[in-house]
Amino acid sequence: MQTTLLNLCKITLFVLVLMNFIQDVVIADSTPNKLQIGIKKRPAECPIKSKKGDLLHMHYTGTLEDGTEFDSSIPRGNPLTFTLGSGQVIKGWDQGLLGMCEGETRKLVIPPELAYGENGAPPKIPKSATLTFQVELIKIERKDEL
């Protein structure tokens, strides 16, 4: 009886370990289907957070899934400036840059549907590409509210 119970426990443990392994493999091989936001550095003080309608000044570096860099503002020494939430940048940026502080850095992993979609942006960005951006918010300009 004890031998049978011990064998049953061993089999159960094996099945649980195998299921966990399979789950890890499936998750690792799947393309992210939603925006992933990682905060890398947050300043000690944050008197103003970015919101829709703000003019943002951003430094960024964009890479493909294999690590190939396709664009960066850093070598140019000139941050990208755009109005948040106005459609001037990809949807992943309009969503992923909300609530940022000046001096904050984030890592955005953006699925194709929030980037350049099925068509990509040839020649640098292939079809259905998941993009990763390292972004730093340099400055927020907010229009005075009436």
Side-chain angles (χ1 to χ4, degrees):
M1 177 75 174
Q2 286 182 330
T3 305
T4 305
L5 187 57
L6 183 60
N7 286 338
L8 184 59
C9 287
K10 287 180 182 179
I11 292 170
T12 303
L13 181 61
F14 174 78
V15 170
L16 290 172
V17 169
L18 182 62
M19 288 174 58
N20 192 38
F21 173 77
I22 291 171
Q23 179 182 6
D24 288 346
V25 169
V26 169
I27 289 171
D29 287 344
S30 64
T31 302
N33 57 2
K34 67 177 192 172
L35 175 65
Q36 297 176 34
I37 303 169
I39 298 171
K40 299 299 181 185
K41 183 183 101 180
R42 181 175 281 157
E45 294 184 23
C46 182
I48 182 173
K49 291 186 177 186
S50 62
K51 68 178 186 177
K52 187 176 178 179
D54 287 343
L55 186 66
L56 302 186
H57 300 256
M58 304 289 307
H59 267 307
Y60 68 92
T61 299
T63 56
L64 302 175
E65 286 180 285
D66 66 2
T68 303
E69 184 178 307
F70 61 84
D71 193 17
S72 179
S73 65
I74 296 168
R76 295 188 292 268
N78 191 21
L80 175 66
T81 303
F82 63 94
T83 302
L84 186 61
S86 67
Q88 294 176 351
V89 292
I90 60 175
K91 290 178 184 179
W93 273 41
D94 272 340
Q95 294 175 18
L97 303 179
L98 288 168
M100 279 188 84
C101 305
E102 289 181 351
E104 183 176 330
T105 59
R106 290 184 179 179
K107 176 182 177 181
L108 305 177
V109 180
I110 304 175
E113 53 273 9
L114 296 177
Y116 295 98
E118 293 178 10
N119 296 327
K124 291 187 176 186
I125 301 174
K127 297 177 181 182
S128 300
T130 296
L131 306 178
T132 299
F133 287 92
Q134 301 290 337
V135 295
E136 179 182 7
L137 179 51
I138 306 299
K139 182 179 177 183
I140 300 172
E141 289 184 52
R142 182 164 291 163
K143 296 177 184 172
D144 292 331
E145 298 178 0
L146 298 175

